[in-house]
Amino acid sequence: MSDPHLDGNALAGPLREIFAVDVTSATSRCAACGQTGAVANLHVYPNAPGLVARCPGCEEVVLRMVRTPDAAWLDLRGAVSLRFPM
């Protein structure tokens, strides 16, 4: 018998809990160089289509955020993890 799984709706409550906090206080780990630090310490470049946040250690892109009137896109592929104080 295989392990049963839930669909992504099971993440709604736990993710709402996390993203209700100030994300800039979270600790991020850069996927490129492994440096850790507060999201608030990332170097943010606002003159791109959206916001681009780079690692202060190696300048690789950690986070991208683009907003339109009816949606927001968040790309975190440059972060290995985000740790939120609870």
Side-chain angles (χ1 to χ4, degrees):
M1 183 171 159
S2 65
D3 289 334
H5 67 274
L6 303 172
D7 68 19
N9 289 310
L11 296 170
L15 286 176
R16 182 178 305 144
E17 230 177 72
I18 290 171
F19 285 108
V21 300
D22 178 10
V23 176
T24 60
S25 67
T27 300
S28 66
R29 178 182 296 275
C30 177
C33 73
Q35 180 171 322
T36 61
V39 171
N41 293 332
L42 295 174
H43 295 174
V44 178
Y45 297 87
N47 297 325
L51 299 171
V52 175
R54 293 181 175 272
C55 174
C58 70
E59 288 297 318
E60 286 295 318
V61 174
V62 174
L63 178 151
R64 294 177 188 94
M65 182 178 170
V66 176
R67 296 242 0 205
T68 65
D70 64 342
W73 286 267
L74 183 60
D75 176 355
L76 291 165
R77 78 181 88 187
V80 172
S81 63
L82 289 177
R83 183 179 59 82
F84 294 89
M86 300 298 271

